[in-house]
Amino acid sequence: MANKRTYITRSEEETFQAGEKIASQWATPMTVLLRGDLGAGKTVLTRGFCSALGLQDLSLVHSPTFSLVNQYETASGTLYHIDLYRLDQSKEQYSIGLDEILGEGSNVVIEWSEKLRIPVKDFLLITIRVLPDDSREISLEAGG
């Protein structure tokens, strides 16, 4: 995958398909850091990732805002879907085992990654912006 890429999506289905395309191009295991406002499409994009990685029941993919960590068993291995919206401090992030999850070589998607306080070596940063016409600009940048 090129170092920087942008997609424009005009529907939830296109955002889902962008997630599938992005995941099909990444080398697993991968850590994805997601950024975007409430309702931008972070969970829809994650559902597309899970589809590309072979999750059979996509209805399992939902926002981990209250559970903090969702775990999905895909054909490509475990994918951890983490939401940091309510976790501002390092000790809170360590308390959910985030350091262990990041260290075990699994696929990890972190929503609200701007709140991440634990260092990550290699990652794909994805920022989703809602445009004035309600389409989405999905920007990808490799980091680490």
Side-chain angles (χ1 to χ4, degrees):
M1 181 181 304
N3 203 22
K4 196 166 188 175
R5 180 174 289 164
T6 301
Y7 295 90
I8 300 293
T9 63
R10 291 174 172 52
S11 67
E12 186 172 311
E13 179 62 27
E14 286 184 10
T15 300
F16 173 86
Q17 291 169 352
E20 286 182 315
K21 183 173 184 175
I22 293 164
S24 70
Q25 296 175 3
W26 81 29
T28 58
M30 172 61 86
T31 298
V32 175
L33 306 181
L34 288 177
R35 295 185 180 170
D37 291 336
L38 284 171
K42 296 179 296 294
T43 300
V44 172
L45 197 71
T46 301
R47 193 172 294 118
F49 296 159
C50 289
S51 174
L53 295 175
L55 180 64
Q56 296 300 308
D57 185 358
L58 294 178
S59 71
L60 296 173
V61 181
H62 60 276
S63 176
T65 299
F66 297 104
S67 60
L68 302 178
V69 179
N70 292 339
Q71 185 174 333
Y72 314 119
E73 298 305 324
T74 75
S76 300
T78 301
L79 183 137
Y80 292 94
H81 183 194
I82 299 165
D83 190 313
L84 298 181
Y85 185 74
R86 300 183 299 133
L87 302 181
D88 290 320
Q89 300 176 356
S90 296
K91 66 182 177 181
E92 294 172 320
Q93 294 177 14
Y94 282 101
S95 74
I96 65 167
L98 184 54
D99 56 325
E100 295 170 8
I101 292 169
L102 291 169
E104 69 182 38
S106 295
N107 295 306
V108 181
V109 175
I110 301 175
E111 295 191 23
W112 300 100
S113 66
E114 59 272 24
K115 295 181 173 235
L116 184 63
R117 302 291 178 254
I118 297 172
V120 179
K121 247 168 84 172
D122 297 313
F123 57 88
L124 177 64
L125 174 62
I126 300 177
T127 303
I128 305 173
R129 284 189 333 119
V130 179
L131 301 176
D133 66 356
D134 209 32
S135 62
R136 304 305 194 252
E137 177 186 76
I138 302 170
S139 301
L140 287 62
E141 189 169 353

